[in-house]
């Protein structure tokens, strides 16, 4: 069985709000360092903070096993919570810092990767237009349109993370240039359909609409 790699500095950088998949993977990596290193979905669920429901944990571990990141011994009888139950027994086989981004089909998932690519490109480019940001963020299986880049830039500007460069007033939005003024960490801020920006590095939430507008949009 593969031994977990040491990424202490990078792990510290990744501290912040974690998705269920990220919490499950971080727990798997902790369990891989103990003896015995095998674990069940129930054990992973119990150790995840905040809590992840058992169905999500079970399905996610099965996905990791299908991609070869975990080994799986099916049908182990596990005693716990007042009864005996049969659960697969897992062990870490392929360690990596970030959780495997694969779905049930085994294909890579692109969801959320566009925002992450743009967030990383912003740090490199310093100043950029929507077109430039889209081009820099598009690579491999990730494709970002200038329109999506513009919308993301506008949201982050309202959240105080970006700023329109001097002399950009009056320029069409697709041609406006922005600069990064607040790099809060490696996680890409989320632009929510509920009209808010969540910075996963700090936990800060910036509303982009009034409470009444959000209520009106719910119908």
């Amino acid at each position: 069985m593969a031994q977990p790699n040491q990424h202490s500095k990078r792990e510290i950088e990744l501290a912040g709000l974690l998705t269920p998949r990220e919490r499950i993977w971080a727990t798997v990596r902790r369990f891989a360092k103990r003896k015995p290193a095998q674990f069940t979905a129930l054990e992973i669920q119990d150790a995840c903070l905040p809590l992840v429901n058992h169905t999500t944990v079970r399905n996610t571990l099965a996905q990791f096993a299908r991609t070869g990141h975990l080994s799986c011994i099916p049908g182990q009888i596990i005693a716990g919570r007042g009864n005996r139950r049969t659960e697969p027994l897992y062990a870490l086989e392929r360690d990596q810092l970030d959780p495997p981004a694969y779905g049930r089909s085994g294909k890579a998932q692109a969801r959320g990767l566009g925002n992450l690519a743009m967030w990383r490109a912003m740090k490199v480019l310093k100043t950029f237009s929507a077109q430039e940001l889209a081009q820099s963020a598009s690579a491999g299986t990730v494709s970002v349109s200038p329109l999506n880049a513009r919308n993301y830039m506008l949201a982050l500007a309202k959240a105080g993370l970006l700023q329109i460069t001097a002399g950009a007033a009056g320029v069409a939005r697709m041609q406006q240039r922005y600069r990064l003024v607040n790099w809060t960490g490696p996680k890409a801020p989320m632009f929510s359909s509920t009209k808010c920006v969540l910075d996963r590095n700090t936990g800060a939430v910036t509303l982009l609409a009034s409470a009444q507008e959000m209520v009106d949009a719910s119908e």
Side-chain angles (χ1 to χ4, degrees), residues 48-66:
C48 280
L49 292 174
L51 182 69
V52 180
N53 71 66
H54 185 260
T55 299
T56 299
V57 174
R58 185 184 62 216
N59 292 342
T60 302
L61 293 181
Q63 291 173 9
F64 293 161
R66 280 192 286 270

Side-chain angles (χ1 to χ4, degrees), residues 4-194:
N5 296 324
Q6 299 299 315
H7 303 282
S8 56
K9 181 179 180 181
R10 177 75 171 131
E11 286 170 344
I12 293 172
E13 291 176 351
L14 284 175
L17 298 177
L18 302 179
T19 66
R21 176 181 289 258
E22 289 171 336
R23 298 204 297 277
I24 292 167
W25 184 246
T27 305
V28 164
R29 298 185 76 234
R30 290 201 307 271
F31 272 54
K33 298 175 183 178
R34 68 175 193 174
K35 293 185 182 299
Q38 292 83 10
F39 48 85
T40 67
L42 194 58
E43 290 176 308
I44 296 297
Q45 181 197 20
D46 285 342
C48 280
L49 292 174
L51 182 69
V52 180
N53 71 66
H54 185 260
T55 299
T56 299
V57 174
R58 185 184 62 216
N59 292 342
T60 302
L61 293 181
Q63 291 173 9
F64 293 161
R66 280 192 286 270
T67 61
H69 291 83
L70 301 182
S71 61
C72 176
I73 304 174
Q76 297 296 297
I77 298 177
I78 306 298
R81 293 190 177 179
N83 60 359
R84 292 173 66 84
R85 56 190 297 160
T86 300
E87 287 200 4
L89 193 63
Y90 293 97
L92 181 65
E93 293 294 336
R94 288 168 51 194
D95 186 32
Q96 59 188 51
L97 182 57
D98 297 307
Y102 292 87
R104 295 181 180 180
S105 65
K107 296 182 179 179
Q109 292 179 331
R111 184 178 180 181
L113 295 182
N115 287 355
L116 179 59
M118 286 190 285
W119 182 240
R120 289 173 174 172
M122 290 175 189
K123 188 178 183 182
V124 175
L125 294 173
K126 307 301 183 184
T127 65
F128 41 84
S129 66
Q131 182 69 43
E132 291 169 345
L133 183 61
Q135 289 177 345
S136 295
S138 297
T141 60
V142 177
S143 178
V144 177
S145 71
L147 179 60
N148 286 343
R150 186 204 69 177
N151 291 339
Y152 194 54
M153 290 159 56
L154 289 172
L156 298 196
K158 290 180 179 179
L161 302 177
L162 302 183
Q163 188 177 76
I164 298 177
T165 59
V171 177
R173 281 185 171 181
M174 291 301 290
Q175 280 73 49
Q176 282 180 338
R177 299 188 63 79
Y178 288 76
R179 66 185 180 93
L180 181 64
V181 294
N182 191 7
W183 172 263
T184 57
K187 290 181 171 58
M190 293 178 174
F191 175 30
S192 170
S193 59
T194 56

